[in-house]
Amino acid sequence: MTAASSADPGALYPDHLAALCRHADEALARGGFDHLLVPSGSLHYQLYDDRDYPYAVNPQFKYWLPLTRLPDSWLVYTPGRKPTLIYHQPFDYWHVVPQAPGGWWLEHFDVHVIRTPEQALPLLPGPAARCAILGEAQSALGEYIPNNPEAVVQYLEYRRSYKTPYELALMRQAQRLAVRGHRAAEAAFRDGAGEFDIHMAYCAAVGQDANDLPYGNIVGLNEHAAVLHYMDRDTSAPAQSRSFLIDAGASACGYASDITRTHARDRGGEFQAMIDAVDAVQQALGRAVRAGTDYKRLHLDAHLALMGVLKDFGVLRVSPEAALETGVSAAFFPHGLGHPIGLQVHDVAGFAADDRGGRIERPPGHPYLRMTRVLEPGMVVTIEPGIYFIDMLLEQVRRKGHGDSIDWDRVETFRPCGGIRIEDEVLCTDAEPENLTRPAFAEAA
Ligand code: GLY
Ligand code: MN
Ligand code: MN
């Protein structure tokens, strides 16, 4: 285990909290407010039903506290004062309620335990008009209605681009958890399991399910690997499992990992060779995550490198540059190279030109890119190039008159395997980039 990976989040937390207080001071000054209020959010119910959706904590709340299952609670911050946590611990014999407050964060807060959501009201600072309240509409309590002031939100979201050592420690933990699942999932695939059972093997190894995972697992065998967000899970195994794409992460105190691997049944076959080629492209792009590099440029470089792979495998008949120019490359690689990640799997501020709400647009023709910024130290981004054989998109290539760019017999060779994606998280530093994912696999091996 490396020094970085064994770092104790608790020891790093005071500095993280101090940074947050400074950010909140600046955000409140910009917005002209006296207090920052962040409700943790509340349960959402299904229509005409008493079933709740999995609770998702307000990301602005878990920025402050490693508490992801504490609905109807409030973070209160006033510059110069110790932050307050209004901690909702209801009397309830139907459900498990949050435990009494405790943990590495406790000494840094004034904590008030409440038993009903309304008991928060007299504890909130006034007047309400002087409060920046960051949350969803249904968190409103009396006059305390979330106003999400633009200046405050923009500033705090922008700051989230630069991870503190505490955040990086938790993100490394999220990598290690997900890697356990990926290893169990690959073993299940090699044993011939179907998608549902592979998914269950993943969840069991990670110890997380829909309530905790940062996003729904993508577990696709064969042609299903060509559906970018394949969320169905066949309960029976196919007669023959040729290929397996798994895009699955884990959470650590609310921080996400987002990892994709693709496997071939036949380790000596052409599809495995193509996986290896995409893997090499992915690693090269990861090494290019350097301060001063424009992520938009990396995305276009990914197109060229992936088209180089398709050329080498005889799928593409034109140059990578020509394929990028005509839009043929987007038929094989129809998503963005990646996105910022942190408290949210698709984290905020990927388009931010500055901390006041300016926006950097995507390059024309690349509507799904989620990160358009120049990389800076402290940013964590995913690098997730892919090649897919998607009937709908290939048909569009033909219709647009570019059918000659492609060797269709070669497409037929790879189509039964669906597609390939390889995804890691990479930290931009002021020197070499740090791949957060690969060491977790190496440690586990
Ligand atoms: N798992 C969703 C994504 O890779 O962005
Ligand atoms: Mn991703
Ligand atoms: Mn992913």
Side-chain angles (χ1 to χ4, degrees), residues 85-97:
L85 175 63
I86 302 172
Y87 190 104
H88 183 230
Q89 188 190 27
F91 294 121
D92 178 351
Y93 57 85
W94 289 95
H95 305 100
V96 172
V97 300

Side-chain angles (χ1 to χ4, degrees), residues 215 229 247 257-260 336-341 345-346 370 382-384 421 423-425:
Y215 58 93
H229 282 175
D247 181 341
S257 56
D258 177 10
I259 301 175
T260 309
L337 176 60
H339 48 86
I341 181 167
V345 64
H346 296 150
R370 292 173 182 269
T382 69
I383 295 290
E384 48 182 304
R421 177 164 67 255
E423 175 176 24
D424 292 341
E425 270 80 272

Side-chain angles (χ1 to χ4, degrees), residues 101-404:
W104 68 62
W105 53 271
L106 185 61
E107 64 184 285
H108 303 283
F109 287 80
D110 283 329
V111 181
H112 301 266
V113 173
I114 56 172
R115 302 303 184 177
T116 66
E118 295 69 33
Q119 286 175 357
L121 203 48
L123 298 167
L124 297 175
R130 301 298 310 148
C131 299
I133 308 175
L134 312 187
E136 58 186 348
Q138 74 168 30
S139 293
L141 193 59
E143 292 181 346
Y144 292 88
I145 299 165
N147 50 3
N148 297 299
E150 179 81 0
V152 176
V153 172
Q154 290 297 345
Y155 185 75
L156 291 178
E157 291 197 343
Y158 191 82
R159 295 312 317 171
R160 276 172 51 191
S161 308
Y162 310 99
K163 270 56 182 181
T164 63
Y166 161 80
E167 295 182 290
L168 292 172
L170 291 174
M171 290 183 75
R172 289 187 184 95
Q173 246 179 46
Q175 299 289 325
R176 290 194 291 274
L177 284 169
V179 162
R180 283 188 205 162
H182 275 265
R183 286 166 57 84
E186 185 189 354
F189 161 66
R190 300 226 175 265
D191 280 351
E195 292 163 349
F196 184 81
D197 288 339
I198 295 175
H199 164 74
M200 296 304 278
Y202 182 94
C203 292
V206 177
Q208 296 183 2
D209 66 6
N211 283 325
D212 301 295
L213 292 172
Y215 58 93
N217 286 350
I218 296 167
V219 173
L221 295 172
N222 302 338
E223 290 88 347
H224 294 163
V227 182
L228 298 182
H229 282 175
Y230 177 78
M231 299 284 187
D232 286 6
R233 282 161 202 139
D234 275 356
T235 47
S236 52
Q240 190 196 25
S241 289
R242 297 175 288 274
S243 61
F244 169 42
L245 185 152
I246 173 164
D247 181 341
S251 305
C253 295
Y255 285 86
S257 56
D258 177 10
I259 301 175
T260 309
R261 290 293 181 265
T262 310
H263 305 284
R265 164 78 59 208
D266 175 4
R267 295 180 198 254
E270 259 194 318
F271 190 64
Q272 179 66 57
M274 191 182 275
I275 294 172
D276 293 343
V278 173
D279 191 73
V281 166
Q282 195 273 351
Q283 294 204 53
L285 291 164
R287 287 191 294 272
V289 172
R290 285 171 182 276
T293 297
D294 189 334
Y295 195 90
K296 296 193 291 302
R297 180 67 252 166
L298 277 188
H299 171 78
L300 298 175
D301 288 347
H303 271 263
L304 295 173
L306 292 167
M307 293 311 106
V309 170
L310 286 179
K311 187 109 214 256
D312 290 346
F313 280 78
V315 176
L316 194 69
R317 292 170 129 157
V318 296
S319 70
E321 290 75 12
L324 178 59
E325 180 66 30
T326 54
V328 169
S329 69
F332 291 105
F333 176 40
H335 58 75
L337 176 60
H339 48 86
I341 181 167
L343 284 166
Q344 290 164 253
V345 64
H346 296 150
D347 214 4
V348 291
F351 302 97
D354 51 48
D355 57 18
R356 294 182 187 271
R359 184 179 163 93
I360 306 170
E361 293 303 333
R362 301 172 167 114
H366 297 268
Y368 300 112
L369 185 59
R370 292 173 182 269
M371 170 71 180
T372 54
R373 293 174 63 179
V374 172
L375 292 162
E376 294 174 64
M379 291 180 172
V380 180
V381 290
T382 69
I383 295 290
E384 48 182 304
I387 288 176
Y388 311 86
F389 300 91
I390 302 172
D391 292 342
M392 185 183 107
L393 298 181
L394 293 173
E395 187 48 41
Q396 283 176 13
V397 170
R398 277 198 222 259
R399 265 194 277 119
K400 288 182 181 160
H402 298 301
D404 289 351

